[in-house]
Amino acid sequence: MKRFLALVFFAAVGLAAGWLASGLFLAFSPRCGYECENRAFGIFFLATVGGAFGFVLAGHLATRKRRVTAGTVLVVSTVLCLLMLLPAGGLYVWKLHGHYDEAEAARPVKPNLAFLHMTIATRAVRGYTDSDSGPVEPMRTIPQWQRCLIGTAQCKKQPRQAQMLCKDGVVYVNEADWRAFSLIPSENLPGTIALHSMNLCASQ
């Protein structure tokens, strides 16, 4: 009778552990309709039913040559829960870290004392190296609809360049491409006097 009750307890704990593990596995699953719902249900079913059967089998093997006591059942159940939940928890933490990285990459830049004015690129724009560093060389392309902050404008050099802080760091944009950026005064550093146009050298 004690062994039967122990196996029932193992099954119940396995169901609970499987339910928790499936929640960790599916925490970041995409919501993409019927196909994804079937996959999520399959993972939930395997985790819960597999957990119940697995706990019963493992619990039976772990206690078959021992006297069945409440302490033994609790110790075996705890070990089995750890073996199931630790990998699921590790996967959850790994996916959570990936989501934080994605969120950080998607977060717009924020104005500061060196970069006061917010703009948005209305088309893809090529960024360049600083002319002070030698011949101007292409760096990377600023994609359309990415926000960038204006730093200094180098109006006495050729080519004229604007220092801009974008998501991937500081780049220099040649004067010919300044008009590709639209000003967003509402996102400037608070207290900053708004620019009236992207003609950054108008007063020089």
Side-chain angles (χ1 to χ4, degrees), residues 26 29-46:
L26 298 172
S29 294
R31 302 291 185 264
C32 53
Y34 184 73
E35 183 177 344
C36 291
E37 289 177 0
N38 283 343
R39 177 178 175 274
F41 177 77
I43 292 175
F44 174 79
F45 181 82
L46 287 175

Short mmCIF file of all heavy atoms in Angstrom, two decimals, residues 26 29-46:
data_model
loop_
_atom_site.label_atom_id
_atom_site.label_comp_id
_atom_site.label_asym_id
_atom_site.label_seq_id
_atom_site.Cartn_x
_atom_site.Cartn_y
_atom_site.Cartn_z
N LEU A 26 7.88 27.17 -22.93
CA LEU A 26 7.00 27.89 -23.85
C LEU A 26 6.88 29.37 -23.54
O LEU A 26 6.09 30.07 -24.17
CB LEU A 26 5.61 27.25 -23.82
CG LEU A 26 5.54 25.79 -24.27
CD1 LEU A 26 4.15 25.22 -24.00
CD2 LEU A 26 5.88 25.66 -25.75
N SER A 29 7.53 31.38 -26.66
CA SER A 29 7.08 30.81 -27.93
C SER A 29 6.29 31.86 -28.71
O SER A 29 5.50 32.60 -28.13
CB SER A 29 6.20 29.58 -27.69
OG SER A 29 6.94 28.54 -27.11
N PRO A 30 6.48 31.93 -30.03
CA PRO A 30 5.73 32.91 -30.83
C PRO A 30 4.26 32.55 -30.91
O PRO A 30 3.88 31.38 -30.83
CB PRO A 30 6.40 32.81 -32.21
CG PRO A 30 6.97 31.42 -32.25
CD PRO A 30 7.39 31.11 -30.84
N ARG A 31 3.42 33.56 -31.05
CA ARG A 31 1.99 33.37 -31.26
C ARG A 31 1.74 33.48 -32.77
O ARG A 31 1.61 34.56 -33.30
CB ARG A 31 1.19 34.43 -30.51
CG ARG A 31 1.45 34.44 -29.01
CD ARG A 31 0.90 33.19 -28.33
NE ARG A 31 1.05 33.24 -26.89
CZ ARG A 31 2.03 32.70 -26.21
NH1 ARG A 31 2.99 32.06 -26.87
NH2 ARG A 31 2.09 32.78 -24.89
N CYS A 32 1.71 32.32 -33.42
CA CYS A 32 1.64 32.36 -34.89
C CYS A 32 0.53 31.46 -35.43
O CYS A 32 0.65 30.92 -36.51
CB CYS A 32 2.99 31.98 -35.49
SG CYS A 32 3.66 30.41 -34.90
N GLY A 33 -0.53 31.30 -34.67
CA GLY A 33 -1.68 30.59 -35.21
C GLY A 33 -1.71 29.11 -34.88
O GLY A 33 -1.08 28.63 -33.94
N TYR A 34 -2.46 28.38 -35.69
CA TYR A 34 -2.79 26.98 -35.41
C TYR A 34 -1.56 26.10 -35.30
O TYR A 34 -1.45 25.26 -34.41
CB TYR A 34 -3.72 26.47 -36.51
CG TYR A 34 -4.22 25.07 -36.29
CD1 TYR A 34 -5.18 24.80 -35.31
CD2 TYR A 34 -3.74 24.01 -37.06
CE1 TYR A 34 -5.64 23.51 -35.11
CE2 TYR A 34 -4.20 22.72 -36.86
CZ TYR A 34 -5.15 22.47 -35.89
OH TYR A 34 -5.59 21.19 -35.69
N GLU A 35 -0.61 26.29 -36.22
CA GLU A 35 0.58 25.43 -36.23
C GLU A 35 1.38 25.58 -34.94
O GLU A 35 1.81 24.58 -34.34
CB GLU A 35 1.45 25.77 -37.44
CG GLU A 35 2.68 24.88 -37.57
CD GLU A 35 3.48 25.19 -38.81
OE1 GLU A 35 2.95 25.86 -39.72
OE2 GLU A 35 4.64 24.77 -38.87
N CYS A 36 1.58 26.81 -34.49
CA CYS A 36 2.34 27.04 -33.26
C CYS A 36 1.56 26.55 -32.04
O CYS A 36 2.16 26.07 -31.07
CB CYS A 36 2.66 28.52 -33.11
SG CYS A 36 3.87 29.12 -34.32
N GLU A 37 0.23 26.67 -32.08
CA GLU A 37 -0.57 26.17 -30.97
C GLU A 37 -0.45 24.66 -30.85
O GLU A 37 -0.38 24.11 -29.74
CB GLU A 37 -2.03 26.58 -31.16
CG GLU A 37 -2.27 28.08 -30.96
CD GLU A 37 -3.72 28.46 -31.24
OE1 GLU A 37 -4.51 27.56 -31.57
OE2 GLU A 37 -4.04 29.65 -31.12
N ASN A 38 -0.43 23.96 -31.99
CA ASN A 38 -0.24 22.51 -31.96
C ASN A 38 1.11 22.14 -31.38
O ASN A 38 1.24 21.19 -30.60
CB ASN A 38 -0.37 21.94 -33.38
CG ASN A 38 -1.82 21.84 -33.82
OD1 ASN A 38 -2.74 21.91 -33.01
ND2 ASN A 38 -2.03 21.71 -35.12
N ARG A 39 2.13 22.88 -31.76
CA ARG A 39 3.48 22.61 -31.25
C ARG A 39 3.52 22.86 -29.74
O ARG A 39 4.09 22.07 -28.99
CB ARG A 39 4.49 23.50 -31.96
CG ARG A 39 5.91 23.35 -31.46
CD ARG A 39 6.87 24.24 -32.25
NE ARG A 39 8.21 24.19 -31.69
CZ ARG A 39 8.62 24.96 -30.69
NH1 ARG A 39 7.79 25.83 -30.15
NH2 ARG A 39 9.86 24.87 -30.24
N ALA A 40 2.90 23.96 -29.30
CA ALA A 40 2.89 24.27 -27.87
C ALA A 40 2.15 23.19 -27.09
O ALA A 40 2.59 22.77 -26.01
CB ALA A 40 2.25 25.64 -27.64
N PHE A 41 1.02 22.72 -27.64
CA PHE A 41 0.27 21.67 -26.95
C PHE A 41 1.08 20.38 -26.89
O PHE A 41 1.06 19.66 -25.89
CB PHE A 41 -1.06 21.41 -27.67
CG PHE A 41 -1.85 20.29 -27.05
CD1 PHE A 41 -2.55 20.49 -25.87
CD2 PHE A 41 -1.86 19.03 -27.63
CE1 PHE A 41 -3.27 19.45 -25.28
CE2 PHE A 41 -2.57 17.98 -27.06
CZ PHE A 41 -3.29 18.20 -25.88
N GLY A 42 1.81 20.08 -27.97
CA GLY A 42 2.65 18.89 -27.98
C GLY A 42 3.73 18.93 -26.91
O GLY A 42 3.97 17.94 -26.21
N ILE A 43 4.37 20.10 -26.77
CA ILE A 43 5.39 20.25 -25.73
C ILE A 43 4.76 20.12 -24.34
O ILE A 43 5.30 19.46 -23.45
CB ILE A 43 6.11 21.60 -25.89
CG1 ILE A 43 6.94 21.60 -27.18
CG2 ILE A 43 7.01 21.88 -24.69
CD1 ILE A 43 7.59 22.92 -27.50
N PHE A 44 3.60 20.76 -24.15
CA PHE A 44 2.91 20.68 -22.86
C PHE A 44 2.53 19.24 -22.54
O PHE A 44 2.74 18.76 -21.41
CB PHE A 44 1.66 21.56 -22.89
CG PHE A 44 0.81 21.44 -21.67
CD1 PHE A 44 1.15 22.11 -20.50
CD2 PHE A 44 -0.34 20.66 -21.67
CE1 PHE A 44 0.37 22.00 -19.36
CE2 PHE A 44 -1.13 20.54 -20.54
CZ PHE A 44 -0.77 21.21 -19.38
N PHE A 45 2.00 18.52 -23.53
CA PHE A 45 1.58 17.13 -23.32
C PHE A 45 2.77 16.25 -22.97
O PHE A 45 2.72 15.45 -22.03
CB PHE A 45 0.87 16.62 -24.57
CG PHE A 45 0.37 15.20 -24.45
CD1 PHE A 45 -0.84 14.94 -23.82
CD2 PHE A 45 1.11 14.14 -24.95
CE1 PHE A 45 -1.31 13.64 -23.70
CE2 PHE A 45 0.65 12.84 -24.84
CZ PHE A 45 -0.56 12.59 -24.21
N LEU A 46 3.85 16.39 -23.74
CA LEU A 46 5.03 15.56 -23.48
C LEU A 46 5.64 15.85 -22.11
O LEU A 46 6.07 14.94 -21.40
CB LEU A 46 6.08 15.79 -24.57
CG LEU A 46 5.78 15.20 -25.95
CD1 LEU A 46 6.84 15.63 -26.95
CD2 LEU A 46 5.71 13.67 -25.88
#
